[in-house]
Amino acid sequence: MQDWQRSVIYQIYPKSFHSHAGNPTGDLLGVVAKLDYLQWLGVDCLWITPFLRSPQRDNGYDISDYYAIDPSYGTMADCELLIAEAGKRGIKLMLDIVVNHTSIEHTWFQQARSSLDNPYRDFYIWRDQPNNWESKFGGSAWEYEAQTGQYFLHLFDHTQADLNWDNPKVRAEVFKMMRFWRDKGVGGFRLDVINLISKPADFPEDDTDGRRFYTDGPNVHEYLQQMHREVFEGHDLINVGEMSSTSLEHCIRYSAPESKELSMTFNFHHLKVDYPNLQKWIRADFDFLQLKRILSDWQTGMQAGGGWNALFWCNHDQPRVVSRFGHDGEHRVVSAKMLGTALHFLQGTPFVYQGEELGMTNPGFDHIDQYRDVETLNIFRLKREAGASDAENMAAIMQKSRDNGRTPMHWNTEPNAGFSTVEPWIGVPANAQTINVASQLDDPDSVLHHYRRLIALRRSEALMSDGVYRQLLPEHLQLWVYVREGDGERLLVLNNFYGSPCEVELPDDVISETMAQRLVISNYPDCPSRNRQIFLRPYESFVLHLTD
Ligand code: TEU
Protein backbone atom coordinates (compact mmCIF):
# COMPACT_ATOMS: atom_id res chain seq x y z
CA MET A 1 0.00 0.00 0.00
CA GLN A 2 1.34 3.43 -0.99
CA ASP A 3 1.37 6.27 1.50
CA TRP A 4 -1.22 8.25 -0.46
CA GLN A 5 -3.57 5.31 -0.13
CA ARG A 6 -3.73 6.10 3.59
CA SER A 7 -3.90 9.86 3.09
CA VAL A 8 -6.59 12.49 3.25
CA ILE A 9 -6.33 15.44 0.87
CA TYR A 10 -7.77 18.90 1.51
CA GLN A 11 -8.89 21.03 -1.40
CA ILE A 12 -8.37 24.78 -1.30
CA TYR A 13 -10.05 27.23 -3.64
CA PRO A 14 -7.59 30.02 -2.93
CA LYS A 15 -9.79 32.78 -4.28
CA SER A 16 -12.18 32.09 -1.40
CA PHE A 17 -9.93 30.70 1.33
CA HIS A 18 -8.25 33.62 3.07
CA SER A 19 -6.97 37.03 2.01
CA HIS A 20 -3.76 37.90 3.78
CA ALA A 21 -3.40 41.17 1.86
CA GLY A 22 -6.92 42.35 2.72
CA ASN A 23 -8.24 42.13 -0.86
CA PRO A 24 -11.61 41.00 -2.24
CA THR A 25 -9.92 37.73 -3.31
CA GLY A 26 -7.78 35.30 -1.32
CA ASP A 27 -4.05 34.74 -1.82
CA LEU A 28 -1.21 32.28 -1.23
CA LEU A 29 -0.03 33.99 1.95
CA GLY A 30 -3.59 33.53 3.16
CA VAL A 31 -3.06 29.79 2.80
CA VAL A 32 0.28 30.01 4.63
CA ALA A 33 -1.51 31.79 7.48
CA LYS A 34 -3.90 28.85 7.86
CA LEU A 35 -1.40 26.00 7.70
CA ASP A 36 -1.49 25.46 11.44
CA TYR A 37 -5.23 24.94 11.19
CA LEU A 38 -4.76 22.40 8.38
CA GLN A 39 -2.09 20.59 10.36
CA TRP A 40 -4.41 20.45 13.36
CA LEU A 41 -7.11 19.01 11.10
CA GLY A 42 -4.62 16.30 10.15
CA VAL A 43 -4.60 16.38 6.36
CA ASP A 44 -1.60 15.03 4.44
CA CYS A 45 -1.79 17.01 1.25
CA LEU A 46 -3.36 20.19 -0.15
CA TRP A 47 -4.80 20.42 -3.63
CA ILE A 48 -4.89 24.10 -4.47
CA THR A 49 -6.92 25.07 -7.53
CA PRO A 50 -5.03 27.06 -10.19
CA PHE A 51 -3.15 30.16 -9.07
CA LEU A 52 -1.00 30.57 -12.17
CA ARG A 53 -1.27 33.64 -14.36
CA SER A 54 -4.69 33.88 -15.89
CA PRO A 55 -7.26 36.44 -17.03
CA GLN A 56 -9.53 34.67 -14.48
CA ARG A 57 -12.40 34.29 -16.88
CA ASP A 58 -12.87 30.77 -15.43
CA ASN A 59 -11.18 31.53 -12.08
CA GLY A 60 -7.74 30.31 -13.11
CA TYR A 61 -8.76 27.33 -15.29
CA ASP A 62 -7.78 29.57 -18.17
CA ILE A 63 -4.00 29.78 -17.80
CA SER A 64 -2.03 32.34 -19.78
CA ASP A 65 1.43 31.57 -18.30
CA TYR A 66 2.32 28.23 -16.69
CA TYR A 67 5.51 29.63 -15.16
CA ALA A 68 4.13 32.66 -13.33
CA ILE A 69 1.92 33.18 -10.29
CA ASP A 70 -1.15 35.28 -10.96
CA PRO A 71 -0.51 38.64 -9.27
CA SER A 72 -3.86 38.45 -7.47
CA TYR A 73 -2.48 35.40 -5.58
CA GLY A 74 0.98 36.77 -4.83
CA THR A 75 4.49 36.01 -6.09
CA MET A 76 6.72 33.04 -6.86
CA ALA A 77 8.42 33.71 -3.51
CA ASP A 78 5.03 33.30 -1.78
CA CYS A 79 4.54 30.00 -3.57
CA GLU A 80 7.99 28.77 -2.52
CA LEU A 81 7.25 29.83 1.05
CA LEU A 82 3.97 27.93 0.95
CA ILE A 83 5.66 24.75 -0.29
CA ALA A 84 8.35 25.05 2.39
CA GLU A 85 5.99 25.89 5.28
CA ALA A 86 3.58 23.13 4.34
CA GLY A 87 6.52 20.71 4.11
CA LYS A 88 7.62 21.63 7.65
CA ARG A 89 4.20 20.52 8.82
CA GLY A 90 4.36 17.27 6.89
CA ILE A 91 1.88 18.50 4.30
CA LYS A 92 2.39 18.15 0.55
CA LEU A 93 1.14 20.56 -2.05
CA MET A 94 -0.61 19.30 -5.15
CA LEU A 95 -0.58 21.65 -8.13
CA ASP A 96 -3.66 21.90 -10.34
CA ILE A 97 -2.50 21.65 -13.92
CA VAL A 98 -4.84 22.66 -16.74
CA VAL A 99 -3.47 21.30 -20.00
CA ASN A 100 -6.53 20.29 -21.97
CA HIS A 101 -6.70 23.96 -22.88
CA THR A 102 -5.04 27.31 -22.32
CA SER A 103 -6.43 30.79 -22.13
CA ILE A 104 -6.57 32.50 -25.51
CA GLU A 105 -4.28 35.06 -23.86
CA HIS A 106 -1.46 32.50 -23.65
CA THR A 107 1.42 33.45 -26.00
CA TRP A 108 1.04 30.10 -27.78
CA PHE A 109 -2.49 31.02 -28.78
CA GLN A 110 -1.57 34.61 -29.58
CA GLN A 111 1.07 33.22 -31.93
CA ALA A 112 -1.21 30.52 -33.30
CA ARG A 113 -4.01 32.88 -34.21
CA SER A 114 -1.72 35.32 -36.02
CA SER A 115 -1.28 33.32 -39.26
CA LEU A 116 -1.95 29.95 -40.83
CA ASP A 117 1.76 29.13 -41.05
CA ASN A 118 2.81 30.31 -37.60
CA PRO A 119 4.89 27.58 -35.86
CA TYR A 120 2.37 27.56 -33.00
CA ARG A 121 -0.65 27.10 -35.28
CA ASP A 122 -0.64 23.34 -34.62
CA PHE A 123 -0.62 23.84 -30.85
CA TYR A 124 -4.41 24.20 -31.15
CA ILE A 125 -7.22 22.56 -33.11
CA TRP A 126 -8.49 24.38 -36.17
CA ARG A 127 -11.08 23.58 -38.83
CA ASP A 128 -12.62 25.36 -41.77
CA GLN A 129 -16.08 24.33 -40.66
CA PRO A 130 -17.31 23.52 -37.15
CA ASN A 131 -18.97 20.19 -36.36
CA ASN A 132 -21.91 19.97 -33.93
CA TRP A 133 -19.92 19.41 -30.73
CA GLU A 134 -21.16 21.48 -27.81
CA SER A 135 -19.20 23.37 -25.20
CA LYS A 136 -19.61 22.09 -21.62
CA PHE A 137 -20.52 25.65 -20.72
CA GLY A 138 -23.27 25.88 -23.34
CA GLY A 139 -23.34 26.74 -27.06
CA SER A 140 -21.04 25.54 -29.84
CA ALA A 141 -17.57 24.17 -29.02
CA TRP A 142 -16.13 26.14 -31.97
CA GLU A 143 -15.24 29.81 -32.19
CA TYR A 144 -14.55 31.67 -35.42
CA GLU A 145 -11.22 33.41 -35.64
CA ALA A 146 -11.59 36.17 -38.25
CA GLN A 147 -7.91 36.87 -38.82
CA THR A 148 -7.23 33.45 -40.31
CA GLY A 149 -10.78 32.50 -41.28
CA GLN A 150 -10.91 29.20 -39.32
CA TYR A 151 -12.67 27.92 -36.23
CA PHE A 152 -10.82 26.72 -33.11
CA LEU A 153 -12.08 24.10 -30.66
CA HIS A 154 -12.99 24.98 -27.07
CA LEU A 155 -14.72 22.29 -25.01
CA PHE A 156 -15.20 24.88 -22.24
CA ASP A 157 -15.50 28.68 -22.51
CA HIS A 158 -14.66 30.32 -25.84
CA THR A 159 -11.61 31.87 -24.12
CA GLN A 160 -10.27 28.37 -23.27
CA ALA A 161 -8.78 26.96 -26.48
CA ASP A 162 -8.13 23.19 -26.55
CA LEU A 163 -4.51 22.18 -27.04
CA ASN A 164 -3.60 19.75 -29.81
CA TRP A 165 -2.05 16.84 -27.90
CA ASP A 166 -1.35 14.96 -31.11
CA ASN A 167 1.39 17.51 -31.73
CA PRO A 168 4.54 16.14 -30.02
CA LYS A 169 5.76 19.70 -29.42
CA VAL A 170 2.70 20.36 -27.24
CA ARG A 171 3.43 17.28 -25.16
CA ALA A 172 7.09 18.22 -24.83
CA GLU A 173 6.14 21.71 -23.59
CA VAL A 174 3.61 20.34 -21.10
CA PHE A 175 6.03 17.78 -19.65
CA LYS A 176 8.82 20.37 -19.42
CA MET A 177 6.51 22.68 -17.49
CA MET A 178 5.43 19.87 -15.15
CA ARG A 179 9.09 19.02 -14.44
CA PHE A 180 9.65 22.68 -13.56
CA TRP A 181 6.97 22.45 -10.86
CA ARG A 182 8.05 19.02 -9.72
CA ASP A 183 11.57 20.34 -9.22
CA LYS A 184 10.18 23.26 -7.25
CA GLY A 185 8.97 20.73 -4.73
CA VAL A 186 5.28 20.18 -5.39
CA GLY A 187 4.13 16.81 -4.11
CA GLY A 188 1.94 15.95 -7.07
CA PHE A 189 -0.52 17.12 -9.67
CA ARG A 190 -4.25 17.31 -10.08
CA LEU A 191 -4.83 17.11 -13.81
CA ASP A 192 -7.85 19.03 -15.00
CA VAL A 193 -10.19 17.13 -17.40
CA ILE A 194 -7.21 15.04 -18.45
CA ASN A 195 -9.33 12.37 -20.14
CA LEU A 196 -10.44 14.88 -22.78
CA ILE A 197 -6.99 15.56 -24.26
CA SER A 198 -7.14 13.11 -27.17
CA LYS A 199 -9.61 13.98 -29.89
CA PRO A 200 -10.29 11.64 -32.83
CA ALA A 201 -8.56 12.98 -35.92
CA ASP A 202 -11.72 12.95 -38.05
CA PHE A 203 -13.95 14.86 -35.58
CA PRO A 204 -17.01 12.63 -36.00
CA GLU A 205 -20.47 13.78 -35.01
CA ASP A 206 -23.93 12.36 -34.41
CA ASP A 207 -27.07 13.70 -32.77
CA THR A 208 -25.40 14.01 -29.31
CA ASP A 209 -23.21 16.80 -27.93
CA GLY A 210 -20.05 15.00 -29.11
CA ARG A 211 -18.61 13.98 -25.76
CA ARG A 212 -18.65 10.31 -26.56
CA PHE A 213 -16.07 10.92 -29.28
CA TYR A 214 -13.46 12.83 -27.30
CA THR A 215 -14.00 11.40 -23.78
CA ASP A 216 -11.27 8.86 -22.94
CA GLY A 217 -10.15 9.46 -26.54
CA PRO A 218 -7.99 7.32 -28.83
CA ASN A 219 -4.47 8.17 -27.55
CA VAL A 220 -5.17 9.25 -23.98
CA HIS A 221 -3.53 6.26 -22.28
CA GLU A 222 -0.44 6.52 -24.46
CA TYR A 223 -0.07 10.23 -23.63
CA LEU A 224 -0.47 9.61 -19.89
CA GLN A 225 2.11 6.84 -20.00
CA GLN A 226 4.46 9.25 -21.69
CA MET A 227 3.74 11.82 -18.96
CA HIS A 228 4.50 9.16 -16.37
CA ARG A 229 7.86 8.35 -17.97
CA GLU A 230 8.84 11.97 -18.49
CA VAL A 231 7.57 13.56 -15.27
CA PHE A 232 6.56 11.08 -12.57
CA GLU A 233 8.94 8.12 -12.81
CA GLY A 234 11.39 7.92 -9.91
CA HIS A 235 9.64 10.68 -7.93
CA ASP A 236 7.33 10.45 -4.96
CA LEU A 237 4.25 12.19 -6.36
CA ILE A 238 0.48 11.90 -5.98
CA ASN A 239 -1.18 12.35 -9.36
CA VAL A 240 -4.92 12.65 -9.58
CA GLY A 241 -6.77 12.80 -12.86
CA GLU A 242 -10.09 14.59 -13.14
CA MET A 243 -12.12 12.42 -15.50
CA SER A 244 -15.13 13.92 -17.17
CA SER A 245 -18.00 11.53 -18.17
CA THR A 246 -15.58 8.59 -17.99
CA SER A 247 -16.05 4.83 -17.55
CA LEU A 248 -14.99 2.32 -14.92
CA GLU A 249 -12.88 0.41 -17.45
CA HIS A 250 -10.88 3.49 -18.35
CA CYS A 251 -10.45 4.58 -14.72
CA ILE A 252 -9.03 1.17 -13.86
CA ARG A 253 -6.50 1.65 -16.65
CA TYR A 254 -5.70 5.22 -15.59
CA SER A 255 -5.05 4.29 -11.97
CA ALA A 256 -3.87 0.65 -11.81
CA PRO A 257 -0.16 0.71 -10.86
CA GLU A 258 0.87 -1.57 -13.73
CA SER A 259 -0.47 0.90 -16.31
CA LYS A 260 2.04 3.49 -15.13
CA GLU A 261 -0.32 6.40 -15.67
CA LEU A 262 -1.86 8.10 -12.60
CA SER A 263 -2.34 7.42 -8.88
CA MET A 264 -6.12 7.83 -8.81
CA THR A 265 -9.13 9.28 -10.60
CA PHE A 266 -12.06 11.54 -9.90
CA ASN A 267 -15.30 10.80 -11.67
CA PHE A 268 -18.67 12.53 -11.41
CA HIS A 269 -21.26 9.85 -11.99
CA HIS A 270 -22.41 9.90 -8.35
CA LEU A 271 -22.91 13.67 -8.59
CA LYS A 272 -25.38 13.43 -11.45
CA VAL A 273 -28.07 11.73 -9.37
CA ASP A 274 -29.95 15.02 -9.24
CA TYR A 275 -29.67 15.62 -13.00
CA PRO A 276 -32.93 14.19 -14.42
CA ASN A 277 -32.04 12.51 -17.75
CA LEU A 278 -28.55 13.97 -17.30
CA GLN A 279 -29.98 17.49 -17.50
CA LYS A 280 -28.08 19.58 -14.97
CA TRP A 281 -30.07 22.80 -15.21
CA ILE A 282 -33.34 21.45 -13.85
CA ARG A 283 -34.16 21.64 -10.18
CA ALA A 284 -34.65 18.09 -8.87
CA ASP A 285 -34.38 15.89 -5.79
CA PHE A 286 -31.60 13.33 -5.77
CA ASP A 287 -32.14 9.66 -6.52
CA PHE A 288 -30.86 7.85 -3.41
CA LEU A 289 -30.91 4.32 -4.85
CA GLN A 290 -28.96 5.51 -7.85
CA LEU A 291 -26.42 7.23 -5.59
CA LYS A 292 -25.80 4.00 -3.66
CA ARG A 293 -25.70 1.91 -6.82
CA ILE A 294 -23.15 4.12 -8.56
CA LEU A 295 -20.84 4.44 -5.58
CA SER A 296 -21.08 0.72 -4.88
CA ASP A 297 -20.36 -0.23 -8.48
CA TRP A 298 -17.26 1.97 -8.46
CA GLN A 299 -16.14 0.55 -5.12
CA THR A 300 -16.35 -3.06 -6.22
CA GLY A 301 -15.27 -2.39 -9.80
CA MET A 302 -12.17 -0.38 -8.97
CA GLN A 303 -11.18 -2.78 -6.22
CA ALA A 304 -11.56 -5.82 -8.50
CA GLY A 305 -9.61 -4.15 -11.29
CA GLY A 306 -6.81 -2.83 -9.09
CA GLY A 307 -7.69 0.83 -9.60
CA TRP A 308 -7.91 3.55 -6.96
CA ASN A 309 -10.73 6.07 -6.38
CA ALA A 310 -10.43 9.69 -5.35
CA LEU A 311 -13.44 10.04 -3.01
CA PHE A 312 -15.35 13.28 -2.76
CA TRP A 313 -18.72 14.90 -2.20
CA CYS A 314 -17.69 18.50 -2.76
CA ASN A 315 -15.38 20.60 -4.86
CA HIS A 316 -15.34 24.06 -6.37
CA ASP A 317 -17.70 22.93 -9.16
CA GLN A 318 -20.34 21.38 -6.92
CA PRO A 319 -23.03 22.57 -4.54
CA ARG A 320 -22.46 21.97 -0.83
CA VAL A 321 -23.18 18.37 0.08
CA VAL A 322 -25.13 19.07 3.27
CA SER A 323 -27.62 21.10 1.19
CA ARG A 324 -27.61 18.46 -1.53
CA PHE A 325 -27.75 15.00 0.08
CA GLY A 326 -28.22 16.01 3.71
CA HIS A 327 -30.37 18.56 5.51
CA ASP A 328 -29.21 22.15 5.87
CA GLY A 329 -31.91 23.09 8.40
CA GLU A 330 -32.48 21.52 11.82
CA HIS A 331 -30.49 18.35 10.97
CA ARG A 332 -27.49 20.18 9.54
CA VAL A 333 -24.92 19.08 12.08
CA VAL A 334 -25.96 15.47 12.29
CA SER A 335 -26.44 15.06 8.54
CA ALA A 336 -23.11 16.72 7.69
CA LYS A 337 -21.39 14.25 10.02
CA MET A 338 -23.30 11.34 8.50
CA LEU A 339 -22.20 12.32 5.00
CA GLY A 340 -18.59 12.61 6.17
CA THR A 341 -18.70 9.13 7.68
CA ALA A 342 -20.45 7.58 4.66
CA LEU A 343 -17.70 8.83 2.34
CA HIS A 344 -14.59 8.39 4.49
CA PHE A 345 -15.16 4.69 5.11
CA LEU A 346 -15.11 3.90 1.40
CA GLN A 347 -12.05 2.59 -0.37
CA GLY A 348 -9.98 5.31 -1.99
CA THR A 349 -8.39 8.56 -0.96
CA PRO A 350 -10.87 11.01 0.59
CA PHE A 351 -10.84 14.68 -0.36
CA VAL A 352 -12.26 17.34 1.96
CA TYR A 353 -13.23 20.61 0.26
CA GLN A 354 -12.75 23.80 2.26
CA GLY A 355 -15.76 24.46 4.47
CA GLU A 356 -17.13 20.92 4.10
CA GLU A 357 -15.50 20.17 7.45
CA LEU A 358 -17.76 22.87 8.96
CA GLY A 359 -20.94 21.71 7.26
CA MET A 360 -21.09 24.89 5.16
CA THR A 361 -24.34 25.18 3.18
CA ASN A 362 -25.36 26.56 -0.20
CA PRO A 363 -25.68 30.33 0.21
CA GLY A 364 -29.23 30.62 -1.14
CA PHE A 365 -28.41 33.44 -3.57
CA ASP A 366 -31.71 34.16 -5.32
CA HIS A 367 -30.67 36.87 -7.76
CA ILE A 368 -28.45 36.43 -10.80
CA ASP A 369 -26.44 39.52 -9.79
CA GLN A 370 -25.08 37.53 -6.85
CA TYR A 371 -23.46 34.97 -9.17
CA ARG A 372 -19.97 35.24 -10.67
CA ASP A 373 -19.36 31.87 -12.39
CA VAL A 374 -18.91 31.92 -16.17
CA GLU A 375 -20.87 28.67 -16.57
CA THR A 376 -23.80 29.97 -14.51
CA LEU A 377 -23.90 33.29 -16.34
CA ASN A 378 -23.69 31.59 -19.76
CA ILE A 379 -26.51 29.20 -18.89
CA PHE A 380 -28.72 31.94 -17.50
CA ARG A 381 -28.34 33.93 -20.72
CA LEU A 382 -28.85 30.92 -23.02
CA LYS A 383 -31.93 29.71 -21.14
CA ARG A 384 -33.39 33.19 -21.08
CA GLU A 385 -32.85 33.49 -24.83
CA ALA A 386 -34.59 30.12 -25.23
CA GLY A 387 -37.64 31.46 -23.39
CA ALA A 388 -37.19 30.14 -19.83
CA SER A 389 -38.69 32.36 -17.14
CA ASP A 390 -36.27 33.94 -14.68
CA ALA A 391 -38.04 32.15 -11.82
CA GLU A 392 -37.50 28.74 -13.40
CA ASN A 393 -33.94 29.67 -14.35
CA MET A 394 -33.09 30.82 -10.82
CA ALA A 395 -34.63 27.76 -9.17
CA ALA A 396 -32.15 25.55 -11.02
CA ILE A 397 -29.22 27.94 -10.51
CA MET A 398 -29.82 28.17 -6.75
CA GLN A 399 -29.56 24.41 -6.54
CA LYS A 400 -26.87 23.69 -9.13
CA SER A 401 -24.57 26.68 -9.61
CA ARG A 402 -20.88 26.12 -9.01
CA ASP A 403 -20.89 29.34 -6.97
CA ASN A 404 -22.71 27.41 -4.22
CA GLY A 405 -19.32 25.97 -3.33
CA ARG A 406 -17.28 29.11 -3.97
CA THR A 407 -18.39 31.50 -1.24
CA PRO A 408 -15.65 32.59 1.21
CA MET A 409 -14.48 30.23 3.92
CA HIS A 410 -16.08 30.99 7.29
CA TRP A 411 -13.26 31.58 9.76
CA ASN A 412 -14.99 33.50 12.55
CA THR A 413 -17.71 36.04 13.35
CA GLU A 414 -15.67 39.06 12.32
CA PRO A 415 -16.77 41.08 9.26
CA ASN A 416 -16.67 39.00 6.03
CA ALA A 417 -16.38 35.86 8.18
CA GLY A 418 -12.71 36.68 8.78
CA PHE A 419 -11.96 35.93 5.13
CA SER A 420 -10.78 39.47 4.35
CA THR A 421 -10.89 42.96 5.81
CA VAL A 422 -12.66 44.21 2.67
CA GLU A 423 -15.83 43.11 0.89
CA PRO A 424 -15.19 39.77 -0.87
CA TRP A 425 -15.57 39.14 -4.60
CA ILE A 426 -18.68 37.04 -3.91
CA GLY A 427 -21.16 37.27 -1.04
CA VAL A 428 -20.76 35.69 2.39
CA PRO A 429 -23.81 33.69 3.49
CA ALA A 430 -25.59 35.02 6.58
CA ASN A 431 -25.08 31.75 8.45
CA ALA A 432 -21.33 32.43 8.73
CA GLN A 433 -22.24 33.94 12.09
CA THR A 434 -23.09 30.50 13.43
CA ILE A 435 -21.14 28.15 11.13
CA ASN A 436 -17.44 28.99 11.39
CA VAL A 437 -14.06 27.59 12.37
CA ALA A 438 -13.64 29.60 15.58
CA SER A 439 -16.87 28.41 17.15
CA GLN A 440 -16.42 24.79 16.05
CA LEU A 441 -12.85 24.58 17.34
CA ASP A 442 -14.28 25.10 20.83
CA ASP A 443 -17.03 22.54 20.39
CA PRO A 444 -16.03 18.86 20.54
CA ASP A 445 -19.45 17.90 19.12
CA SER A 446 -19.01 20.04 16.02
CA VAL A 447 -18.85 18.88 12.41
CA LEU A 448 -15.24 20.05 12.42
CA HIS A 449 -14.21 17.74 15.25
CA HIS A 450 -16.05 14.88 13.56
CA TYR A 451 -14.04 15.42 10.36
CA ARG A 452 -10.84 15.61 12.38
CA ARG A 453 -11.69 12.22 13.89
CA LEU A 454 -12.46 10.75 10.45
CA ILE A 455 -9.11 11.98 9.13
CA ALA A 456 -7.23 10.50 12.07
CA LEU A 457 -9.05 7.18 11.65
CA ARG A 458 -7.61 6.77 8.12
CA ARG A 459 -4.24 6.28 9.77
CA SER A 460 -5.34 3.97 12.56
CA GLU A 461 -8.01 1.75 10.96
CA ALA A 462 -6.29 -0.33 8.31
CA LEU A 463 -9.61 -1.68 6.98
CA MET A 464 -10.55 1.84 5.82
CA SER A 465 -7.77 1.54 3.24
CA ASP A 466 -7.73 -2.12 2.38
CA GLY A 467 -10.97 -3.76 3.53
CA VAL A 468 -13.14 -5.28 0.81
CA TYR A 469 -16.32 -3.30 0.17
CA ARG A 470 -19.68 -5.07 0.26
CA GLN A 471 -23.04 -3.36 0.23
CA LEU A 472 -25.93 -4.65 2.36
CA LEU A 473 -29.61 -3.87 1.80
CA PRO A 474 -28.99 -2.33 -1.66
CA GLU A 475 -32.69 -1.69 -2.24
CA HIS A 476 -33.31 0.01 1.09
CA LEU A 477 -34.88 3.39 0.38
CA GLN A 478 -33.38 5.23 3.31
CA LEU A 479 -30.23 3.50 4.58
CA TRP A 480 -26.83 3.04 3.03
CA VAL A 481 -25.22 0.12 4.82
CA TYR A 482 -21.89 -1.40 3.87
CA VAL A 483 -19.04 -3.38 5.31
CA ARG A 484 -15.31 -3.21 4.72
CA GLU A 485 -14.09 -6.72 5.33
CA GLY A 486 -10.75 -8.26 6.20
CA ASP A 487 -9.73 -11.61 7.63
CA GLY A 488 -12.27 -12.41 10.37
CA GLU A 489 -12.96 -8.73 11.01
CA ARG A 490 -14.99 -5.97 9.46
CA LEU A 491 -16.12 -2.40 9.72
CA LEU A 492 -19.89 -2.12 9.60
CA VAL A 493 -20.94 1.33 8.34
CA LEU A 494 -24.57 2.38 8.79
CA ASN A 495 -25.97 5.64 7.45
CA ASN A 496 -29.50 6.96 7.58
CA PHE A 497 -29.82 9.45 4.71
CA TYR A 498 -33.21 10.79 5.82
CA GLY A 499 -34.88 12.69 8.64
CA SER A 500 -37.15 9.86 9.75
CA PRO A 501 -36.10 7.04 12.09
CA CYS A 502 -35.86 3.53 10.75
CA GLU A 503 -35.34 -0.05 11.92
CA VAL A 504 -33.69 -2.97 10.12
CA GLU A 505 -32.41 -6.46 10.77
CA LEU A 506 -28.91 -7.36 9.61
CA PRO A 507 -27.63 -10.82 8.63
CA ASP A 508 -25.82 -12.71 11.40
CA ASP A 509 -22.65 -13.24 9.40
CA VAL A 510 -22.21 -9.47 9.63
CA ILE A 511 -23.11 -8.86 13.25
CA SER A 512 -23.93 -11.29 16.05
CA GLU A 513 -23.78 -11.54 19.81
CA THR A 514 -20.65 -13.67 19.76
CA MET A 515 -18.56 -11.07 17.96
CA ALA A 516 -16.30 -8.61 19.77
CA GLN A 517 -17.49 -5.05 19.10
CA ARG A 518 -15.86 -1.67 19.19
CA LEU A 519 -17.62 1.60 18.33
CA VAL A 520 -15.39 3.46 15.86
CA ILE A 521 -17.35 6.68 15.32
CA SER A 522 -20.90 7.93 15.66
CA ASN A 523 -22.82 11.15 15.08
CA TYR A 524 -25.08 10.92 18.14
CA PRO A 525 -23.75 11.21 21.71
CA ASP A 526 -24.79 7.64 22.50
CA CYS A 527 -25.07 4.51 20.37
CA PRO A 528 -27.67 2.22 21.87
CA SER A 529 -28.41 -0.27 19.10
CA ARG A 530 -25.52 -2.58 18.51
CA ASN A 531 -27.07 -5.88 17.59
CA ARG A 532 -28.73 -7.44 14.56
CA GLN A 533 -31.84 -5.38 15.17
CA ILE A 534 -30.68 -1.87 14.38
CA PHE A 535 -32.68 1.28 15.05
CA LEU A 536 -31.41 4.47 13.44
CA ARG A 537 -32.52 7.96 14.39
CA PRO A 538 -32.79 10.87 11.85
CA TYR A 539 -29.56 11.02 9.82
CA GLU A 540 -27.91 8.73 12.35
CA SER A 541 -24.67 7.11 11.31
CA PHE A 542 -22.19 4.97 13.12
CA VAL A 543 -19.42 2.48 12.49
CA LEU A 544 -18.69 -0.70 14.41
CA HIS A 545 -15.54 -2.75 14.26
CA LEU A 546 -16.50 -6.41 14.60
CA THR A 547 -14.27 -9.42 15.10
CA ASP A 548 -15.59 -12.97 14.57
O1 TEU B 1 -14.07 20.89 -14.51
C1 TEU B 1 -14.44 19.99 -15.48
C2 TEU B 1 -15.86 19.65 -15.62
O2 TEU B 1 -16.22 19.03 -16.59
C3 TEU B 1 -16.83 20.06 -14.62
O3 TEU B 1 -16.81 19.65 -13.36
C4 TEU B 1 -17.57 21.25 -15.00
O4 TEU B 1 -17.46 22.26 -14.05
C5 TEU B 1 -19.00 20.87 -15.15
O5 TEU B 1 -19.06 19.91 -16.16
C6 TEU B 1 -19.82 22.04 -15.56
O6 TEU B 1 -21.15 21.63 -15.59
C7 TEU B 1 -12.79 21.39 -14.52
C8 TEU B 1 -12.60 22.38 -13.40
O7 TEU B 1 -12.77 21.74 -12.17
C9 TEU B 1 -13.56 23.52 -13.62
O8 TEU B 1 -13.54 24.45 -12.56
C10 TEU B 1 -13.20 24.17 -14.92
O9 TEU B 1 -14.14 25.18 -15.23
C11 TEU B 1 -13.16 23.17 -16.07
O10 TEU B 1 -12.44 21.99 -15.75
C12 TEU B 1 -12.46 23.77 -17.27
O11 TEU B 1 -11.10 23.90 -17.01
Side-chain angles (χ1 to χ4, degrees), residues 291-301 469 471 480:
L291 180 72
K292 290 200 292 182
R293 189 161 54 239
I294 292 170
L295 286 168
S296 295
D297 286 351
W298 279 80
Q299 284 289 296
T300 40
Y469 175 91
Q471 191 185 189
W480 185 17

Side-chain angles (χ1 to χ4, degrees), residues 124-185:
Y124 296 89
I125 297 167
W126 302 91
R127 279 173 51 111
D128 292 333
Q129 288 302 321
N131 66 5
N132 72 352
W133 292 3
E134 285 170 27
S135 157
K136 305 243 183 205
F137 290 166
S140 169
W142 298 91
E143 182 80 358
Y144 186 62
E145 179 58 45
Q147 196 167 334
T148 48
Q150 284 190 315
Y151 294 79
F152 68 86
L153 180 70
H154 62 88
L155 294 182
F156 293 88
D157 188 55
H158 65 92
T159 64
Q160 294 166 299
D162 280 52
L163 282 165
N164 175 16
W165 273 71
D166 292 333
N167 179 350
K169 288 185 188 149
V170 167
R171 302 201 297 277
E173 284 288 349
V174 167
F175 302 150
K176 182 176 105 189
M177 175 274 287
M178 291 176 76
R179 286 193 293 268
F180 167 85
W181 285 104
R182 180 197 70 193
D183 297 343
K184 267 218 176 290

